[in-house]
Amino acid sequence: TCGWLLLISCDGFQHRIKCVKQREQEVVALVDEITSPGWMLPLTGEVILMGHSFGGMTSLHAATLRKQVVAAIVMDPWFMTYKDDIFKLNKPCQILMTEHFAAEMAAKYPPTWCSEKECLNKFIRMNPHTDLKVLKDNMHFNQTDHVVISPDW
């Protein structure tokens, strides 16, 4: 698979993998806490996770680990940190990709983006409840502002 050799040799990549794993454990602990009996807020016991970039991958990873998580909304998830379990999500998932994130990844990291696209396409194929939207004229670092500046999107 193109991209893996390049990324494994990059400074910081292994550190980022560890960060995603730690975040995943923290999100799972939070899901367990807020869906436990006696939690201060009345919840239905169902949670939707949402995340951007590494947070998007964290959401996908954590969603595979807890049945209380019924759906995920992810923005520009960086699939290069994936584990095989995300391909078995089998829950509704909304993926919001920015047009410029895809173009930037392809320009800066061609081998990486090749694997990134492969992972995204595989995820969509294996999870029929996935909806992909590409946000035109939007960029990775301001994507989380998109809902605020475009409430009718």
Side-chain angles (χ1 to χ4, degrees):
T1 61
C2 61
W4 275 110
L5 183 60
L6 172 70
L7 281 174
I8 290 172
S9 66
C10 290
D11 291 338
F13 180 72
Q14 292 303 322
H15 175 71
R16 288 175 179 243
I17 296 291
K18 289 178 186 175
C19 290
V20 169
K21 183 67 175 167
Q22 178 181 342
R23 289 177 184 178
E24 173 188 305
Q25 292 168 352
E26 292 167 354
V27 170
V28 165
L30 178 64
V31 168
D32 289 346
E33 178 68 25
I34 65 175
T35 58
S36 65
W39 176 248
M40 67 179 109
L41 298 173
L43 292 177
T44 63
E46 296 179 345
V47 176
I48 297 173
L49 296 179
M50 181 174 181
H52 174 256
S53 198
F54 272 177
M57 286 312 299
T58 301
S59 297
L60 289 178
H61 287 258
T64 65
L65 299 175
R66 289 296 181 263
K67 66 178 188 241
Q68 304 97 309
V69 178
V70 296
I73 301 168
V74 296
M75 300 175 286
D76 282 349
W78 196 43
F79 275 92
M80 290 309 299
T81 60
Y82 82 94
K83 297 185 300 191
D84 286 335
D85 59 357
I86 65 162
F87 294 116
K88 301 170 188 160
L89 181 63
N90 200 28
K91 297 176 183 181
C93 180
Q94 176 69 64
I95 300 176
L96 303 171
M97 295 292 286
T98 56
E99 179 181 45
H100 292 285
F101 179 66
E104 180 181 345
M105 288 292 286
K108 284 187 179 179
Y109 313 105
T112 303
W113 183 243
C114 176
S115 290
E116 188 81 4
K117 284 194 304 189
E118 290 169 7
C119 290
L120 176 61
N121 290 332
K122 180 179 178 182
F123 181 84
I124 292 169
R125 276 193 318 273
M126 294 184 71
N127 291 283
H129 306 294
T130 299
D131 183 42
L132 171 66
K133 300 280 189 233
V134 176
L135 304 175
K136 301 285 185 183
D137 300 321
N138 202 4
M139 302 185 77
H140 182 72
F141 292 111
N142 66 4
Q143 184 180 29
T144 55
D145 299 333
H146 186 77
V147 176
V148 175
I149 60 176
S150 303
D152 295 329
W153 72 285

